[in-house]
Amino acid sequence: MEKFLVDIFGSEITAYIIIAIIPLIFIVPYALFAVWLERKVSAHMQDRLGPMYTGGWHGWAQTIADIIKLLQKEDIVPAAADKKLHLLAPYIVFIGSYAAFAAIPFSSEYIGSHLNLGIFYIIAVSSLVVVGLLMAGWSSNNKWSLFGAMRSAAQIVSYEIPTALSLLAVVMIAGTLNLQEINKMQSGWFWNWFIFSKFPFVFIAFLIYFVASLAEVNRTPFDIPEAESELVAGYHTEYTGMKFAMFFLAEYANMFAVSAIASAVFLGGWNSPFGDFMSGPIWGVFWFVAKGMFFIFVQMWLRWTLPRTRVDQLMYVSWKVLTPFAFFCIFAIGIWLML
Amino acid sequence: MKKYFIDIFKAIWTVLIGMKITFKHLFVPAVTIQYPDVKLNLPERARNRLYVNMDDCIGCLQCSNACPVDCIEIETVKSLPTEDLGLTSKGTKKRLYVTKFTIDIAKCCYCGLCVPPCPTECIFMTDKYEFSEYNRRDLIYNFSTMTEQEIAEVKARAAEAEKEAAAKKAAPKPATATPTNPETKKSEN
């Protein structure tokens, strides 16, 4: 991909800028689609219809209309806010979630950066989101925002541990942190996927990863940082217009990032489930996005199934259930690999 | 320790049960109707916007008397004996000009108490329930079919007739009034 682009444009800088922009070109339409999908899924799960008018067929243009409305909205900054941090926070949150896309292999031919430390880099850089959220909560000078930011920080920091440990289980089997290498190891039929290897330990690791990733992206049942019924909207209470849209975009980008990692690490990423059938660089994108969207659907499905957990329940799940089980999985897989 | 594992198992199991239910509902037809395009049929005796058929109104004020919130305002002017205002559809003779018949639908409480007293059944509930307005005054409905000019004419004629009647009464009055004056009788006794 890099060579091809360098050949076309004749300069490396242009080629790399294009490579860097490709995920953004994917994220924005994806976020619009995912918001629409979320509204439709939630509506149909509650026997409603959801948006039906805008654009004709099942309100497909509703989110496009919404984003145009948000772009036109007045940008209100609270008088007592810390203006610089208030301005900066949404961009830091988005940068944090966008930076994770650099190491995500969309296809066998396309990956933002050939990092040998891919998974490690993603886990590290996505922690930047916490800084942005704390910044947003603190600078808004609003009690709801601060509460939301504090909860969010506590939640993301504590759930990073089971996330990292469950990914480590797969890293031990693969012997590499490079996501592209990990994907190549899972090629062939779907039983080569890591989720089915060393059964049931990797499967348990996958469950741990999925639950922890839900908490990391502040999705229900772990959406206490945003808890509408308690905290208005959590850390983005005081944000309006485009900055609010930025938070929203970052949230949906994050959702795809964690789903993408789940599919890349556990479900073969861009590999076709049926051997050589429909495989290749372009079909790879299809399979990768399809697996990612499946996990996003499951996230939505869970959101409209489960109520919100309490803060103490949240911490209980992280420290007393997920973390010990993740350690157990690592231990068991380690012994299995040694034997 | 045993409870710990049972709790984890229960958590996973109950989440799966919940997910099964929500997944089923994903394919249940929605109960929503697309309201402005599709409307539910109203019950037979639904109470909505009032309507007055002025051709049948005899200006008897029964409806405005029955109204608990006084939202119906009626003014009538007597017609002259020589004038013929026509009959209602039930055959009652109309004797009054209804110069004003307004219903303030913003005040109306949709109790329907004005409907049964009407002798000619000219005030009734329709099936219209979408009549929001930007201005509150636009909710005062005027049902009188008479124009301003007609009202002025009718009022002038009625006033004239009243004057004439008063004059007629006033003329023989002094002759009959004195003998029946109770005060004078009392003083005699």
Side-chain angles (χ1 to χ4, degrees):
Chain A
M1 183 97 179
E2 286 85 30
K3 270 184 190 166
F4 175 68
L5 283 173
V6 170
D7 285 348
I8 288 180
F9 294 103
S11 84
E12 283 196 350
I13 296 170
T14 328
Y16 283 129
I17 286 174
I18 285 168
I19 285 171
I21 283 173
I22 285 172
L24 188 67
I25 293 169
F26 166 73
I27 288 172
V28 175
Y30 144 76
L32 292 176
F33 172 73
V35 174
W36 174 82
L37 186 74
E38 172 118 50
R39 292 175 68 174
K40 290 307 265 190
V41 166
S42 70
H44 284 284
M45 280 184 175
Q46 296 168 348
D47 297 352
R48 296 184 286 116
L49 286 169
M52 287 295 281
Y53 272 88
T54 323
W57 184 80
H58 283 263
W60 65 271
Q62 183 62 54
T63 43
I64 297 168
D66 284 347
I67 201 79
I68 290 169
K69 185 200 75 176
L70 275 175
L71 280 168
Q72 296 168 335
K73 285 254 171 174
E74 186 191 353
D75 183 21
I76 301 167
V77 180
D82 191 332
K83 302 234 163 39
K84 277 178 196 158
L85 294 184
H86 191 81
L87 180 72
L88 206 57
Y91 301 104
I92 288 197
V93 173
F94 184 69
I95 287 166
S97 55
Y98 188 57
F101 280 81
I104 291 175
F106 275 85
S107 145
S108 51
E109 293 299 317
Y110 176 77
I111 181 166
S113 167
H114 293 282
L115 282 171
N116 279 331
L117 288 170
I119 294 176
F120 180 75
Y121 163 78
I122 288 171
I123 290 170
V125 85
S126 57
S127 303
L128 194 63
V129 173
V130 186
V131 179
L133 298 186
L134 266 177
M135 224 182 215
W138 176 258
S139 66
S140 296
N141 206 350
N142 174 316
K143 53 185 175 294
W144 307 127
S145 299
L146 190 58
F147 267 134
M150 289 304 204
R151 284 180 178 193
S152 170
Q155 176 175 326
I156 293 176
V157 168
S158 55
Y159 272 86
E160 251 162 23
I161 292 158
T163 313
L165 289 176
S166 56
L167 290 176
L168 201 59
V170 173
V171 170
M172 279 168 71
I173 298 170
T176 173
L177 286 160
N178 188 335
L179 274 170
Q180 197 69 291
E181 292 294 319
I182 289 175
N183 272 358
K184 275 177 194 159
M185 280 177 194
Q186 301 177 76
S187 59
W189 287 74
F190 60 85
W191 53 74
N192 287 343
W193 294 353
F194 278 141
I195 191 171
F196 300 118
S197 67
K198 307 277 182 288
F199 194 82
F201 301 114
V202 179
F203 187 74
I204 293 172
F206 166 72
L207 284 182
I208 292 166
Y209 173 79
F210 188 72
V211 174
S213 71
L214 277 181
E216 279 223 49
V217 295
N218 300 334
R219 295 286 298 179
T220 328
F222 307 114
D223 69 335
I224 56 165
E226 284 170 48
E228 299 94 345
S229 47
E230 308 158 31
L231 295 185
V232 190
Y235 48 82
H236 55 58
T237 305
E238 294 288 357
Y239 282 89
T240 50
M242 209 46 223
K243 287 182 196 159
F244 172 74
M246 216 64 188
F247 273 116
F248 228 66
L249 191 64
E251 193 186 320
Y252 277 83
N254 250 335
M255 272 167 70
F256 188 80
V258 296
S259 305
I261 296 162
S263 73
V265 172
F266 294 99
L267 291 175
W270 40 258
N271 284 305
S272 163
F274 313 111
D276 285 337
F277 175 67
M278 288 168 81
S279 72
I282 294 175
W283 279 114
V285 176
F286 166 76
W287 286 116
F288 189 75
V289 173
K291 286 167 188 174
M293 289 312 284
F294 170 74
F295 282 118
I296 281 160
F297 172 72
V298 176
Q299 286 181 356
M300 290 172 184
W301 186 3
L302 275 169
R303 175 170 176 185
W304 299 102
T305 305
L306 299 175
R308 187 180 303 131
T309 54
R310 266 191 338 251
V311 181
D312 61 319
Q313 289 168 335
L314 180 92
M315 290 300 161
Y316 175 89
V317 171
S318 171
W319 293 109
K320 289 190 174 174
V321 181
L322 297 182
T323 310
F325 269 82
F327 272 120
F328 168 72
C329 280
I330 288 177
F331 184 69
I333 290 167
I335 287 178
W336 192 319
L337 288 170
M338 271 174 70
L339 289 175
Chain B
M1 199 64 195
K2 198 179 162 194
K3 193 177 172 290
Y4 173 78
F5 286 105
I6 289 172
D7 280 351
I8 290 169
F9 175 75
K10 264 190 185 168
I12 294 168
W13 186 244
T14 48
V15 166
L16 289 177
I17 290 173
M19 286 174 85
K20 191 182 147 198
I21 291 168
T22 40
F23 195 71
K24 263 188 201 162
H25 274 271
L26 199 53
F27 302 104
V28 170
V31 292
T32 320
I33 54 158
Q34 293 292 87
Y35 160 63
D37 298 339
V38 184
K39 287 176 188 170
L40 283 179
N41 286 329
L42 289 170
E44 203 182 324
R45 291 169 60 174
R47 300 200 294 252
N48 301 296
R49 184 161 74 175
L50 280 167
Y51 181 74
V52 184
N53 180 7
M54 285 310 289
D55 291 344
D56 279 0
C57 181
I58 56 169
C60 64
L61 306 184
Q62 299 242 38
C63 51
S64 83
N65 289 340
C67 182
V69 290
D70 293 338
C71 70
I72 305 175
E73 277 182 35
I74 305 174
E75 263 176 26
T76 54
V77 173
K78 267 186 195 168
S79 65
L80 302 180
T82 50
E83 284 172 318
D84 184 20
L85 294 182
L87 301 175
T88 64
S89 56
K90 276 195 162 185
T92 321
K93 202 166 181 246
K94 292 206 267 190
R95 292 170 204 282
L96 298 166
Y97 286 108
V98 183
T99 52
K100 186 187 177 193
F101 196 123
T102 60
I103 297 180
D104 189 346
I105 210 79
K107 278 190 206 164
C108 178
C109 66
Y110 305 96
C111 60
L113 287 177
C114 51
V115 177
C118 183
T120 58
E121 289 175 16
C122 73
I123 186 166
F124 54 89
M125 295 285 185
T126 57
D127 57 359
K128 298 267 190 310
Y129 50 90
E130 300 150 310
F131 44 91
S132 54
E133 296 280 356
Y134 285 103
N135 192 341
R136 204 169 5 150
R137 286 176 226 294
D138 293 340
L139 284 168
I140 301 173
Y141 292 152
N142 183 25
F143 289 98
S144 177
T145 46
M146 297 174 81
T147 59
E148 295 267 321
Q149 208 183 346
E150 279 175 337
I151 292 169
E153 265 175 39
V154 165
K155 277 189 177 166
R157 244 184 285 161
E160 228 171 78
E162 217 169 280
K163 248 187 213 169
E164 269 175 37
K168 263 184 196 172
K169 268 187 185 175
K173 223 179 186 180
T176 49
T178 30
T180 52
N181 197 331
E183 273 179 35
T184 46
K185 267 186 184 174
K186 263 181 193 171
S187 61
E188 271 172 23
N189 294 336

